[in-house]
């Protein structure tokens, strides 16, 4: 499997590079972005933070809006930002053209239902295929952490909770904490996973956390002015699960912040330092 470079820009002494490749897991061509900090020139493999974006986003949103690259350069962190769903003319989309399902809304699950299952295997893509590709072609180590926003925060949490041995730490901004019990999650899961709701818990962070026996450093930020907080995000479900499981969750409610990238930009440096401490321990 090869990488095609699409663009490269120097920033904070490092390089922001966009790549395209053919994904076997997703059965389509995919694009992703990588920030390579200036420390790559020293020749030592660097740790990686995987960032999973939210609904309607692609690989470009975080890199352009979050203001993360200066701190990543200082900390010597590689950041990898994949797309949020499979793409292409052959990939099915929401038949009604809605923004919260289909293209741009893969929910980081492995779909089991037709026609979605052929392409929508986003969990296997971000957990297995993409890291293997990154570690083969780029100057990185096998030390990984994961973070994300909204739908991507849900993705980061389930990746870390399902396979904690693959990561050193996990964080999230405004994650969907209980997708089995919110409109976004119920819509996506009923299509991708089918009508049998008992199977949905395999992809619900609040369910997975309550069952967790291996713990990672976890930081979650929510904004108390987020319009989606009560109906869609449900942070209390994750907090309750952490208490039941004795999970070392640091959950913060930030006054006055909403769901936007202004919120992410305000606290991203803290999240990067949190991950750098775990990755370099």
């Amino acid at each position: 499997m090869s990488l095609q470079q699409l663009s490269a820009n120097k920033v904070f002494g490092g390089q922001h590079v966009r790549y395209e490749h053919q994904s076997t897991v997703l059965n389509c061509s995919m694009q992703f972005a990588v920030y390579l900090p200036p420390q790559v020139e020293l020749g030592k493999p660097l740790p990686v933070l995987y960032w999973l974006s939210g609904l309607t986003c692609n690989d470009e949103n975080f890199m352009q809006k979050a203001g993360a690259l200066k701190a990543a350069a200082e900390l010597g962190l590689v950041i990898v930002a994949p797309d949020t769903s499979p793409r292409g003319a052959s990939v099915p989309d929401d038949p009604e053209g809605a923004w919260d399902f289909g293209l741009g809304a893969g929910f980081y699950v492995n779909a089991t239902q037709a026609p979605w299952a052929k392409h929508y295997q986003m969990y296997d893509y971000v957990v297995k295929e993409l890291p293997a590709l990154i570690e083969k072609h780029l100057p990185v180590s096998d030390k990984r952490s994961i973070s994300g926003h909204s739908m991507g925060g849900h993705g980061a949490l389930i990746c870390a909770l399902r396979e904690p041995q693959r990561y050193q730490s996990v964080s999230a901004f405004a994650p969907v904490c209980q997708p089995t019990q919110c409109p976004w999650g119920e819509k996506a899961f009923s299509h991708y996973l089918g009508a049998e709701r008992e199977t949905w818990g395999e992809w619900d962070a609040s369910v997975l956390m309550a069952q967790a026996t291996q713990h990672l450093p976890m930081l979650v930020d929510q904004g108390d002015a987020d319009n989606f907080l009560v109906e869609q995000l449900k942070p209390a479900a994750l907090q309750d699960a952490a208490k039941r499981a004795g999970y070392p969750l640091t959950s913060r409610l930030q006054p006055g912040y909403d769901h936007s990238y202004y919120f992410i930009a305000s606290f991203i440096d803290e999240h990067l330092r949190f991950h750098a401490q775990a990755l370099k321990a």
Side-chain angles (χ1 to χ4, degrees):
M1 190 180 299
S2 61
L3 293 178
Q4 178 186 354
Q5 182 175 309
L6 301 177
S7 64
N9 301 92
K10 187 170 184 177
V11 53
F12 297 114
Q15 290 284 326
H16 171 268
V17 190
R18 296 188 71 237
Y19 293 100
E20 186 170 12
H21 74 105
Q22 186 66 31
S23 169
T24 302
V25 168
L26 302 179
N27 289 296
C28 65
S29 179
M30 292 293 287
Q31 296 179 359
F32 64 91
V34 179
Y35 178 65
L36 298 169
Q39 291 86 341
V40 298
E41 296 180 1
L42 301 177
K44 182 179 179 180
L46 297 177
V48 183
L49 175 65
Y50 287 86
W51 173 270
L52 306 184
S53 291
L55 290 165
T56 75
C57 293
N58 59 21
D59 67 279
E60 297 181 280
N61 297 78
F62 175 80
M63 294 297 198
Q64 295 179 6
K65 295 181 178 181
L69 304 187
K70 183 177 182 179
E74 294 170 354
L75 294 166
L77 290 181
V78 174
I79 301 178
V80 175
D83 204 343
T84 53
S85 77
R87 303 278 182 173
S90 64
V91 177
D93 194 8
D94 188 312
E96 298 179 358
W99 58 271
D100 58 353
F101 179 71
L103 298 182
F107 269 84
Y108 304 103
V109 302
N110 286 338
T112 60
Q113 305 299 302
W116 319 105
K118 181 179 179 181
H119 296 285
Y120 285 81
Q121 303 292 313
M122 284 298 295
Y123 179 83
D124 280 353
Y125 178 69
V126 301
V127 172
K128 299 173 183 177
E129 185 180 43
L130 184 59
L133 188 68
I134 296 294
E135 290 163 21
K136 179 179 179 181
H137 291 282
L138 298 178
V140 304
S141 72
D142 61 358
K143 296 292 186 181
R144 316 175 197 94
S145 289
I146 192 164
S147 186
H149 171 232
S150 193
M151 177 188 73
H154 144 77
L157 293 176
I158 63 168
C159 290
L161 289 166
R162 285 171 63 100
E163 299 194 51
Q165 74 282 358
R166 295 186 63 86
Y167 303 100
Q168 305 301 120
S169 55
V170 55
S171 75
F173 290 85
V176 180
C177 296
Q178 196 178 28
T180 58
Q181 303 295 325
C182 77
W184 284 342
E186 289 176 324
K187 178 178 179 178
F189 284 14
S190 62
H191 285 81
Y192 294 141
L193 305 175
E196 297 182 9
R197 296 177 69 101
E198 60 269 21
T199 67
W200 295 4
E202 301 174 18
W203 307 100
D204 185 312
S206 65
V207 174
L208 294 169
M209 177 172 281
Q211 303 168 350
T213 58
Q214 184 176 341
H215 299 162
L216 294 176
M218 180 182 291
L219 172 62
V220 173
D221 273 319
Q222 301 273 8
D224 73 358
D226 191 323
N227 292 334
F228 301 117
L229 188 66
V230 175
E231 183 181 25
Q232 301 283 11
L233 307 182
K234 300 184 180 295
L238 193 69
Q239 294 162 0
D240 291 344
K243 290 178 182 177
R244 294 198 304 272
Y247 202 104
L249 166 66
T250 298
S251 181
R252 309 187 303 191
L253 188 64
Q254 304 291 2
Y257 286 91
D258 57 21
H259 200 72
S260 71
Y261 265 85
Y262 295 111
F263 171 43
I264 298 172
S266 298
F267 298 99
I268 190 63
D269 286 5
E270 293 182 29
H271 282 241
L272 293 182
R273 288 193 291 269
F274 167 79
H275 289 297
Q277 183 177 10
L279 285 163
K280 298 178 180 180

